[in-house]
Amino acid sequence: MKKYLKVDPWLIVEDQFKAENHKSSESIFSIGNGQVGQRANFEEDYSGATLQGTYVAGVYYPDKTKVGWWKNGYPEYFAKVLNAPNFTGIRIFVGNESLDLAACKVLSFRRVLNMKEGTLSREFTAEMPSGKQVSVSVVRFLSMAEPETGAIKYCITPLNADTEIRFVPYIDGNVVNEDANWDEIFWEQIAHEINGNEGYVVSRTKKTEFEVAMGMKVAATIDGIALDVAPDTNSKTGYVESSFTVKVPEGSTLEIIKYISVLSSLNHSKDKILSNSRFVLKKAVDTGFDQMLEAHKAKWAKIWEHSDIIVEGDNEAQQGIRFNIFHLNQTYTGEDERLNIGPKGFTGEKYGGASYWDTEAYCLPFFLATAPPQVSKNLLLYRYKHLDKAIENAEKLGFTNGAALYPMVTMNGEECHNEWEITFEEIHRNGAIAFAIYNYIRHTGDSAYLAGYGLEVLMAISRFWSQRITFSDEKKKYVMLGVTGPNEYENNVNNNWYTNTIANWTMGYTLESIEVVKKTNPAAYQALVNKRRFNEQEETARWKDIIANMHFPMLDDKIFLQQDGYMDKEQITVDGLNPKQRPINQKWSWDRILRSCFIKQADVLQGVYLFEDRYDLETIRRNFDFYEPRTVHESSLSPCVHVVLAAKIGRMDKAYELYLRTSRLDIDDYNHEAHEGLHITSMAGTYMAIVEGFGGKRVNNGKLVLNPQLPENWKTFAFKILFRGSQLKIEATKSKVSIQNESDTDAPVILFGKEYLVTKSMKLVVENN
């Protein structure tokens, strides 16, 4: 853990500059708008350790893998969301000296991420080697209102002498990815132009041939008076700059505004991308910095209106949840079904920026509760449109008859993860995609999604399970061999309980869905049967047989065994580990980890969480008490599930402990890896921890279920839920719970086990006994 940031309900504040924290801060203070994102790199040059990062959603490169690509079924590449051309740069020279916080004396420093307004700002005072001192303040944002634009206001004031200042705004397309497998340059430069204070660079990705056009235009004043200085210009392949030299009196302020446009060929034809970039940039300049900023703030105000969680009595908890909500909303806006949510979002290169099962298992519940249904539907449509690729992925592994195996990692539907124990074995991801369809429908009531899209996916996944599962003559049961469950500290195991459970459930839900679609839309069902050559009688008969005769390993009548042979391991609990040996994934050999009983993240408990309504409280308690002491929580996805279950069984102290871990995982850098980027998808788990854990939120039979309870030191907490056309504000104290219907749609609610109909504009208040 590394605590160097100030606690504030709406701000992330770094109030001193320490070079050893800089790369972590670049991640933590990242900004984005769903289409573009960037790490909090300094605008001026910085010669210290840094990870330059600008990312354009959906633009990627298939980086050839170093291992396994020659083997049957192995992906040939790993998809990388690319470090895109750098548009933030403004070099500053104080006299002849470069302003560089790694080389000058930093007298004061403050960096602020304003989560309420979506802005990144810095204020610092620096002393140059010559003794000249300058004060700098910077504000920048990527517009949520006009997501192809952004702006930077950079102000510099000489403090102890009249000073000649040269400022050089630029766009640099000659960038690299730190994680390139073969040290390749992923971009080729197509065009560049510079005309006075306005410049453009157009770059194209190799192989995938995406094009990105970036534009800049600069305006400057001294004490509010516009500069009348013709810049020197310079350009070369992939690079443009304008260089201005001005005399700034002591105490006067030079204000530089850099307007930005970022367009990609996902949304613009390549023959018009440069001209469109000019148009978008002109519109931003005509709007002006202040109006752009106000529109951006207004957009964030609307986002917070739906998604904010208020915690009174615990500023660390409050800051943590808002930090997570902020990054989720700036990573994915749900307006483009071609896009998804990478584990690092726009904050770093690790994991390639590609989509994992995290989206369905963790992110979907957040967007279901906080955004219009179309946002969540677009996440499902992303997978639907990749169905034929998922079938191809399965075919590469020897599956037939339209069986689909969705990729563990993807940008375009193709599998691009090349570790065998993940690519071939962590197949429970299929179940997460199936469960997401069920979760979406039960929350929104959009049952028509089954006929239009969902059933087709469910059938293909069930076909996969049917072929992947085999019959054991010894056990007289169906079994699933050679898998990796959510606990990636176990590989190539037989009968992982969670994987068997989610597979069985998927086939059962597919059978139910077939009957629903046959009844409600028989024409659509018949069209699907014809399209996918579905033999209902033969295929469903096998599914039913598997469901009835599946093997589930058990420790006793209540505790589900993680997999066959788990109890052959030496049973040691986490409290017996030497703290110096933590985290074990950084201290132990992989061989030692695989032989241990330690669990990386919720595995059995993931299944108990998903299918909680199947189990009585004693079953949930006994499984939690068995697996929590063996779980090291070395996946960011782990603590949130444990929070929900701990709260369910009344272990509020443990729930709160794990909540703080998940909500402040990156702010306090629990795993010593914030410098690589943030854990964006697990941030949705933080929302689950509060709303499903402390709020007790469930959906049963078309009704919203709530059972709020507060951690000991909280005075109150409040959140909103969008549910089947209604917007409900739930506020809980230790003595009462109120539900305010802020919409015109009535909402059926079960609060503390009692049913209510919360009609439009009604406020329900119930004492908490």
Side-chain angles (χ1 to χ4, degrees), residues 108-158:
S108 66
F109 181 91
R110 180 178 169 89
R111 175 162 32 191
V112 177
L113 180 65
N114 186 320
M115 299 180 288
K116 188 174 186 178
E117 299 180 348
T119 59
L120 170 63
S121 62
R122 274 189 304 145
E123 296 178 353
F124 65 88
T125 302
E127 183 174 286
M128 310 302 293
S130 66
K132 289 183 178 179
Q133 295 180 359
V134 292
S135 173
V136 174
S137 67
V138 190
V139 177
R140 84 179 188 229
F141 64 94
L142 295 172
S143 176
M144 291 292 278
E146 298 290 341
E148 292 181 325
T149 65
I152 304 166
K153 180 185 285 187
Y154 195 104
C155 300
I156 181 167
T157 304

Side-chain angles (χ1 to χ4, degrees), residues 5-220:
L5 302 171
K6 297 296 182 182
V7 175
D8 184 280
W10 277 110
L11 307 175
I12 305 296
V13 180
E14 182 182 15
D15 64 359
Q16 57 181 319
F17 180 69
K18 291 187 176 181
E20 63 267 27
N21 295 333
H22 181 58
K23 288 179 74 174
S24 295
S25 291
E26 287 181 324
S27 301
I28 292 166
F29 289 81
S30 295
I31 57 173
N33 62 15
Q35 288 195 27
V36 184
Q38 56 187 189
R39 290 169 59 83
N41 307 120
F42 293 159
E43 288 81 8
E44 70 277 358
D45 284 349
Y46 181 70
S47 59
T50 181
L51 175 61
Q52 199 277 322
T54 299
Y55 311 99
V56 180
V59 174
Y60 70 95
Y61 177 82
D63 196 12
K64 185 176 179 180
T65 62
K66 285 192 170 183
V67 296
W69 54 266
W70 58 88
K71 299 177 181 177
N72 287 339
Y74 260 78
E76 295 184 359
Y77 69 90
F78 191 87
K80 302 287 177 67
V81 170
L82 302 184
N83 179 22
N86 175 16
F87 57 77
T88 59
I90 306 175
R91 293 192 183 92
I92 303 291
F93 296 88
V94 179
N96 293 321
E97 299 171 302
S98 173
L99 180 58
D100 176 354
L101 296 194
C104 62
K105 186 176 182 180
V106 181
L107 303 178
S108 66
F109 181 91
R110 180 178 169 89
R111 175 162 32 191
V112 177
L113 180 65
N114 186 320
M115 299 180 288
K116 188 174 186 178
E117 299 180 348
T119 59
L120 170 63
S121 62
R122 274 189 304 145
E123 296 178 353
F124 65 88
T125 302
E127 183 174 286
M128 310 302 293
S130 66
K132 289 183 178 179
Q133 295 180 359
V134 292
S135 173
V136 174
S137 67
V138 190
V139 177
R140 84 179 188 229
F141 64 94
L142 295 172
S143 176
M144 291 292 278
E146 298 290 341
E148 292 181 325
T149 65
I152 304 166
K153 180 185 285 187
Y154 195 104
C155 300
I156 181 167
T157 304
L159 296 179
N160 60 354
D162 297 347
T163 303
E164 182 179 84
I165 293 178
R166 182 160 63 97
F167 62 96
V168 187
Y170 63 88
I171 301 173
D172 187 3
N174 300 299
V175 295
V176 297
N177 264 55
E178 190 175 86
D179 69 346
N181 287 339
W182 303 91
D183 297 325
E184 288 182 87
I185 303 297
F186 296 149
W187 295 93
E188 55 187 8
Q189 306 305 324
I190 302 303
H192 64 276
E193 61 179 55
I194 185 73
N195 182 16
N197 63 343
E198 183 174 351
Y200 299 88
V201 168
V202 182
S203 307
R204 178 190 295 152
T205 60
K206 297 178 181 178
K207 296 184 181 179
T208 47
E209 297 189 341
F210 294 106
E211 289 191 9
V212 171
M214 294 191 176
M216 70 171 186
K217 190 166 185 178
V218 180

Side-chain angles (χ1 to χ4, degrees), residues 396-551:
K396 290 176 183 177
L397 302 185
F399 295 90
T400 61
N401 192 36
L405 176 59
Y406 276 91
M408 187 67 181
V409 180
T410 194
M411 288 296 298
N412 64 356
E414 288 183 303
E415 178 64 76
C416 62
H417 197 291
N418 57 10
E419 295 173 359
W420 65 269
E421 71 275 13
I422 306 299
T423 306
F424 302 145
E425 294 195 343
E426 202 164 339
I427 54 178
H428 66 82
R429 60 192 186 254
N430 255 9
I433 291 164
F435 192 87
I437 295 169
Y438 164 76
N439 208 8
Y440 167 78
I441 293 170
R442 71 170 172 175
H443 199 283
T444 64
D446 181 13
S447 57
Y449 185 82
L450 275 177
Y453 310 99
L455 181 56
E456 190 170 356
V457 173
L458 291 169
M459 287 167 53
I461 292 174
S462 290
R463 282 172 157 175
F464 172 82
W465 292 130
S466 178
Q467 295 177 44
R468 187 60 169 78
I469 292 165
T470 56
F471 189 77
S472 166
D473 289 330
E474 179 184 352
K475 287 183 169 62
K476 304 302 181 188
K477 293 282 187 179
Y478 285 98
V479 296
M480 191 155 12
L481 309 178
V483 303
T484 296
N487 171 28
E488 292 171 340
Y489 289 175
E490 298 273 11
N491 301 150
N492 202 37
V493 302
N494 294 336
N495 295 306
N496 171 259
W497 181 87
Y498 172 76
T499 306
N500 285 15
T501 297
I502 197 79
N504 237 35
W505 175 86
T506 300
M507 289 182 285
Y509 181 56
T510 306
L511 291 170
E512 293 174 15
S513 299
I514 287 171
E515 295 306 314
V516 169
V517 175
K518 285 170 67 176
K519 181 178 179 180
T520 60
N521 197 334
Y525 177 71
Q526 190 56 52
L528 180 56
V529 167
N530 295 338
K531 177 182 179 181
R532 295 299 180 183
R533 299 180 181 179
F534 181 59
N535 185 328
E536 180 181 345
Q537 183 176 358
E538 180 180 315
E539 295 188 56
T540 60
R542 177 169 170 82
W543 299 350
K544 291 174 183 177
D545 192 41
I546 293 172
I547 292 168
N549 296 286
M550 191 72 179
H551 168 60

Side-chain angles (χ1 to χ4, degrees), residues 291-304:
Q291 288 189 39
M292 283 181 67
L293 181 57
E294 287 307 309
H296 172 71
K297 290 178 182 178
K299 191 76 171 180
W300 268 110
K302 289 182 179 179
I303 292 169
W304 285 114

Side-chain angles (χ1 to χ4, degrees), residues 303-312 318 321-322 325 365-366 368-371 443 659 686-699 704-711 714 716-723 726-733 736-742 749-752 763-764:
I303 292 169
W304 285 114
E305 173 65 22
H306 294 296
S307 60
D308 191 21
I309 291 179
I310 298 169
V311 176
E312 293 185 9
Q318 178 67 87
I321 186 60
R322 282 186 173 142
I325 292 170
F366 169 78
L368 280 172
T370 64
H443 199 283
Y659 164 74
T686 304
Y687 182 89
M688 289 163 49
I690 288 187
V691 173
E692 298 184 22
F694 304 145
K697 178 252 178 185
R698 307 288 191 272
V699 177
L704 184 67
V705 179
L706 296 163
N707 289 284
Q709 52 185 324
L710 278 70
W714 290 15
T716 182
F717 73 105
F719 56 91
K720 294 184 180 181
I721 290 179
L722 298 175
F723 180 69
S726 65
Q727 176 170 288
L728 304 176
K729 180 180 180 181
I730 296 95
E731 184 172 358
T733 69
K736 63 184 179 181
V737 175
S738 67
I739 303 175
Q740 174 74 55
N741 191 334
E742 298 180 339
V749 174
I750 301 174
L751 178 60
F752 297 132
K763 184 174 184 178
L764 172 70

